[in-house]
Amino acid sequence: MAEPLAVPLPALMAHRPFALFWSARVLVTAASQMQAVAIGWQIYELTGSAFDLGLVGLVQFIPVVALALVVGHVADRYQRRLVVRGCQLVQAASAAALAAGALSGGLAVSTIFAIVLVIGTARAFELPAMHAMVPGLVPPVLFPRAVAGSVSANQTAIIVGPAIGGLLYLAGPATVYALCGVVLAAAAILVTLIQVELPPRRHEKPSLASLFAGIRYIRSREALLGVISLDLFAVLLGGATALLPVYARDILDAGPRGLGLLRSAPAVGALATSIFLARYPLRRRIGPALFRTVMVFGAATIVFGLSTSFALSLIALAVLGASDVVSVVIRASLVQIRTPDAMRGRVSAVHSLFTGTSNQLGAFESGLVAALVGTVPSVLLGGIGTVAIAVLWMVLFPELRRVHQFEE
């Protein structure tokens, strides 16, 4: 039976488990975005260092690398819903600690980094379990649209979160952190309410073979290896958003409120695109579409790097977000559809290591290069490098270039 040509997001929301998941993801992402604005601006105020902004990304990246194999095994061995809920409660407690420290006036940079490490550890466990949950929330025929709908949840929050964070920061960072704690606790409640019929789960004992199963599976499939590694290197080089505090204060003279708008701009383009893809999903010529969008991502990064106009910068970031979301939907759909449920946690953990953390590692790379050669050259080099990576991957992974549809 041919799948329907158009299924709007409200039809997806008719599935109660997906509606609860979607709402929880909006809250979690909004909280993380508000928190990112507050942490970024506060650290830059305290140190004035672009390198320290990059360190925020590195600190969040460390636990994902250190725990990559363990978190995937946890997602496949235990109830994913409970893992996600526990991680969200840890993040809520961390936000409360940041609020208390900011309120007392004794929140040192080292303390912020320590709490960010805890947050990064919680997210390392949360992401694989969360991604592996999606296929069980809707009928299989709706899964590509559910991925696009899930991405739209992220983008909705990325639009709203930074703008709220930048506005509330005017009342002090403690206000932002306190609200984040409340929002994360509410998300944990929504996840608790998700009830789905789970397939029988094999409880494998931890072993080197089971821990490395996700890596072996990806290596055995060229298209999956290509799509995951492409995103890693493209975003690693194109991590311009880590330097938005520098652009907002020193180049565009936009202040905290302008920083919130700049952080929201990529999500404006991404949200519009994800809503379109939820209604009219990609069905053919998946591989070529992926490479084209990565090249557009690199070109938009170059335009942003050269811009000294606030309006042009917003437009460039919106195009960047629109192109990125196509890549996200293609990648997530390929990984989840072509992976058996018993291995989705471990494959998702490797996926998170290579792609979900590329933003954090890219943030460190951007901060490091900016400290060495300057902010604008750092962004330009990243954009040019992203385009070059897309061209190189077309040669190195011909099977990915030939992918026509999501199913094998």
Side-chain angles (χ1 to χ4, degrees), residues 89-152:
L89 290 174
V90 170
Q91 292 176 69
S94 300
L98 285 169
L103 198 60
S104 68
L107 193 59
V109 173
S110 58
T111 304
I112 296 175
F113 280 134
I115 296 175
V116 167
L117 180 63
V118 174
I119 294 170
T121 302
R123 288 179 183 166
F125 281 92
E126 178 189 24
L127 286 175
M130 180 179 288
H131 292 157
M133 282 177 64
V134 179
L137 302 178
V138 295
V141 70
L142 294 181
F143 178 69
R145 294 178 172 89
V147 172
S150 180
V151 171
S152 76

Side-chain angles (χ1 to χ4, degrees), residues 8 47 65 86 92 96 165 169 220 233 238 249 317 359-360 380 382 384 396:
T47 69
V65 175
Y169 195 90
S220 69
F233 287 101
R249 196 184 79 170
L317 289 171
N359 287 320
Q360 283 77 35
L380 292 179
I384 294 169
L396 294 179

Side-chain angles (χ1 to χ4, degrees), residues 3 20 137 147 163 202 209 277 279 367:
E3 56 182 354
L20 290 168
L137 302 178
V147 172
R202 285 192 312 155
L277 292 176
R279 186 173 179 87

Side-chain angles (χ1 to χ4, degrees), residues 157-237:
I158 292 172
I159 291 172
V160 175
I164 294 176
L167 185 62
L168 290 180
Y169 195 90
L170 299 175
T175 304
V176 182
Y177 298 139
L179 180 59
C180 289
V182 173
V183 170
L184 286 163
I189 293 173
L190 291 177
V191 170
T192 302
L193 297 175
I194 295 175
Q195 299 295 331
V196 291
E197 199 167 317
L198 300 172
R201 186 72 52 83
R202 285 192 312 155
H203 292 291
E204 296 181 71
K205 292 183 178 180
S207 66
L208 285 177
S210 67
L211 290 176
F212 282 93
I215 294 176
R216 288 198 306 272
Y217 185 83
I218 292 171
R219 286 186 60 187
S220 69
R221 284 155 175 79
E222 182 183 304
L224 294 187
L225 179 60
V227 74
I228 290 174
S229 58
L230 172 63
D231 184 83
L232 168 66
F233 287 101
V235 179
L236 173 64
L237 294 174

Side-chain angles (χ1 to χ4, degrees), residues 317-335:
L317 289 171
V319 173
L320 183 150
S323 58
D324 184 52
V325 81
V326 178
S327 171
V328 169
V329 170
I330 290 174
R331 185 181 68 247
S333 297
L334 280 175
V335 169

Side-chain angles (χ1 to χ4, degrees), residues 179-377:
L179 180 59
C180 289
V182 173
V183 170
L184 286 163
I189 293 173
L190 291 177
V191 170
T192 302
L193 297 175
I194 295 175
Q195 299 295 331
V196 291
E197 199 167 317
L198 300 172
R201 186 72 52 83
R202 285 192 312 155
H203 292 291
E204 296 181 71
K205 292 183 178 180
S207 66
L208 285 177
S210 67
L211 290 176
F212 282 93
I215 294 176
R216 288 198 306 272
Y217 185 83
I218 292 171
R219 286 186 60 187
S220 69
R221 284 155 175 79
E222 182 183 304
L224 294 187
L225 179 60
V227 74
I228 290 174
S229 58
L230 172 63
D231 184 83
L232 168 66
F233 287 101
V235 179
L236 173 64
L237 294 174
T241 53
L243 301 175
L244 288 182
V246 182
Y247 271 85
R249 196 184 79 170
D250 299 338
I251 297 175
L252 301 174
D253 193 26
R257 189 173 181 180
L259 173 60
L261 292 174
L262 289 171
R263 289 191 68 95
S264 298
V268 173
L271 177 60
T273 305
S274 62
I275 291 174
F276 179 84
L277 292 176
R279 186 173 179 87
Y280 301 102
L282 293 167
R283 296 160 60 91
R284 301 288 184 267
R285 295 182 57 78
I286 303 300
L290 174 65
F291 286 110
R292 285 196 300 269
T293 55
V294 172
M295 291 180 186
V296 172
F297 180 92
T301 301
I302 293 171
V303 172
F304 172 75
L306 292 171
S307 173
T308 56
S309 162
F310 188 72
L312 179 59
S313 297
L314 290 176
I315 293 171
L317 289 171
V319 173
L320 183 150
S323 58
D324 184 52
V325 81
V326 178
S327 171
V328 169
V329 170
I330 290 174
R331 185 181 68 247
S333 297
L334 280 175
V335 169
Q336 296 298 335
I337 289 174
R338 298 192 177 196
T339 303
D341 182 74
M343 290 186 59
R344 280 199 180 110
R346 281 164 289 182
V347 171
S348 293
V350 179
H351 181 200
S352 295
L353 174 62
F354 280 87
T355 63
T357 61
S358 55
N359 287 320
Q360 283 77 35
L361 195 58
F364 175 69
E365 179 272 337
S366 295
L368 177 61
V369 176
L372 294 174
V373 302
T375 300
V376 173

